[in-house]
């Protein structure tokens, strides 16, 4: 396989994070370096007395005329600069002066377009809270939704405008929280001296902060639902299924576009990657790494990611720096845990109609397609090529996209539903709209629904991307928000059923019906829409970590 062919798959997997970084830069140019205790910024809310310290925020008006209160850039951990780099996060020391939480904090360091001035710093571990207007610690306790952002674990931020929680809080009567966590090599590097998973530890600390403080904002710490999209959904799956320490911090999980069958590397494999990476700085030990300039690390990371697939193959290396199954913090592959029925928290999960296009759009020749199928799936590659044969015309993007859709997204999710039996709600998001942010322009039409297409509808944030919903799009958004917030409030997307509902009834995923909600202009229920494809992948199995390993005779 030549270098061009080897890098095609990685280039497409990383595309989502690079585009995301650009979108952050485009929309978040006003981000400053965190809320500041001495800053001359006026609050427009009352003061919340929390365990962390007194906090005030600002009032935000939504387009319905309802208001929410926003508390932005609240630090939940100390800086991770200098000697704190690649250390577990340290909880932020409580403060006594009023913290003016009216501006987002710095985003965590990541590669981005240098033409856009987005403040980033290794002192970046902050969170954001949106509440309905008029609630406080004495109000009835509200359900809490904690969102974990995506970006392939190497880009993104809670301040990304599409994730603005003001509309959900003001109009759907929930509390919305999101946060930053360390990214890329700075968040997940493992070497002979480092165990990795620092960004995941950040996530756990943010959830602990919510558990300890959210009641002061009117939230119920016993009604916390975590949710995320893409890498955020993968994180949610890890918290739900693989991270024992996370279990008491929430009661349910909602996953949008989780590549749940994509394996995470083990600690030894991650150390192999990290040991090679450190020499590209060049560094031979942790002291050198901690003294390295932040931008030098980001530049080395960017160069390293493009060449990694020349060294390692198999799908566990598609994300160069991400969570690691270390046997302690993260004990097992999440899909394996689901199949073993070791966890039973309620789950709502699904994916978009054409997820795989984003990851496969540059495939053109038969050689590129066949070689990458072999790299990903090893001994099973011929079985797969018989079901997904290469195309003789000059593009195999659709074939590769279908493989990605079925192998990593849809069939893994179906297996989670089968293993939980009654505790899970599955969906397919099939609504095609002209505001899709990711993927080639040629596929943002003709009914395609790409990775990330649902995000403006989940948060009702079209104005953040200079778009205005049509009446139909507005209706789609409100219904999906109702399902999401009902699940957070009642562990059931249908709500409690006390009054007539305009929502299509969404049954739990159970054998033998295996029913899905299909989101479109008119929502509908379908029975096992991916049965044929998933029966094929079930017959192969989902042990993609070592695809060329032959079983012992």
């Amino acid at each position: 396989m030549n270098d061009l062919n080897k890098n095609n798959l990685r280039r497409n997997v990383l595309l989502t994070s690079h585009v995301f970084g650009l979108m952050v830069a485009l929309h978040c140019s006003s981000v400053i370096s965190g809320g500041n205790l001495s800053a001359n910024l006026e609050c427009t809310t009352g003061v919340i007395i929390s365990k962390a310290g007194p906090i005030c925020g600002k009032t935000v008006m939504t387009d319905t005329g309802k208001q929410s209160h926003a508390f932005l850039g609240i630090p939940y951990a100390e800086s991770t600069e200098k000697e704190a780099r690649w250390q577990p996060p340290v909880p932020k020391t409580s403060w006594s002066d009023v913290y003016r939480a009216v501006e987002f904090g710095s985003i965590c360091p990541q590669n981005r377009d240098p033409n856009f001035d987005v403040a980033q710093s290794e002192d970046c571990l902050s969170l954001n809270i949106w509440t309905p207007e008029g609630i406080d610690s004495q109000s009835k306790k509200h359900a809490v939704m904690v969102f974990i952002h995506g970006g392939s674990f190497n880009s993104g931020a809670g301040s990304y405008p599409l994730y603005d929680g003001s509309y959900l809080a003001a109009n759907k009567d929930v509390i919305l929280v999101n946060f930053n966590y360390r990214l890329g090599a700075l968040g997940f590097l493992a070497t002979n001296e480092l165990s990795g998973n620092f960004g995941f530890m950040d996530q756990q600390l943010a959830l602990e902060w919510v558990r300890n403080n959210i009641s002061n904002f009117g939230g119920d710490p016993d009604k916390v639902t975590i949710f995320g999209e893409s890498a955020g959904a993968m994180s949610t799956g890890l918290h739900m299924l693989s991270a024992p320490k996370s279990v008491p911090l929430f009661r349910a999980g909602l996953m949008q576009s989780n590549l749940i069958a994509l394996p995470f590397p083990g600690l030894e494999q991650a150390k192999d990657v990290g040991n090679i990476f450190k020499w590209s700085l060049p560094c031979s030990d942790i002291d050198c790494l901690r003294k390295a300039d932040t931008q030098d690390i980001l530049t080395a990371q960017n160069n390293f990611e493009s060449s990694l697939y020349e060294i390692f193959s198999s799908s566990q290396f598609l994300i160069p720096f991400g969570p690691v199954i270390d046997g302690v913090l993260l004990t097992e592959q999440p899909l394996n845990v689901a199949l073993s029925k070791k966890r039973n928290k309620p789950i709502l999960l699904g994916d978009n109609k054409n997820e795989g296009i984003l990851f496969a759009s540059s495939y053109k020749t038969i050689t590129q397609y066949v070689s990458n199928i072999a790299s990903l799936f090893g001994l099973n590659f011929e079985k797969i090529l018989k079901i997904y044969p290469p195309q003789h015309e000059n593009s195999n993007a659709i074939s590769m996209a279908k493989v990605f859709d079925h192998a990593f997204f849809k069939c893994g999710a179906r297996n989670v539903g089968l293993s939980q039996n009654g505790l899970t709600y599955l969906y397919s998001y099939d609504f095609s709209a002209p505001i899709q942010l990711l993927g080639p322009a040629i596929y943002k039409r003709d009914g395609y629904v790409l990775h990330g297409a649902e995000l403006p509808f989940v948060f009702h944030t079209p104005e953040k991307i200079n778009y205005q919903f049509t009446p139909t799009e507005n209706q789609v958004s409100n219904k999906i928000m109702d399902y999401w917030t009902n699940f957070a409030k009642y562990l059931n997307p249908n709500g409690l059923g006390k009054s007539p509902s305009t929502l299509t009834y969404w049954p739990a995923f159970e054998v033998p019906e295996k029913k899905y909600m299909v989101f479109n202009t008119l929502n509908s229920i379908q029975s096992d829409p991916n049965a044929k494809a998933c029966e094929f992948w079930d017959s192969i199995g989902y042990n993609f970590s070592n695809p060329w390993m032959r079983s012992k005779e």
Side-chain angles (χ1 to χ4, degrees), residues 381-395:
F381 82 95
E382 287 190 284
K383 294 179 183 178
I384 295 166
L385 290 173
K386 288 177 181 178
I387 302 297
Y388 304 87
Q391 303 302 304
H392 290 288
E393 66 267 21
N394 199 34
S395 176

Side-chain angles (χ1 to χ4, degrees), residues 267-286:
L267 182 56
E268 293 308 311
Q269 288 75 28
K271 285 182 177 180
D272 290 340
V273 172
N275 286 333
I276 298 171
F277 169 75
K278 70 184 182 184
W279 281 98
S280 68
L281 281 166
C283 281
S284 62
D285 57 41
I286 188 62

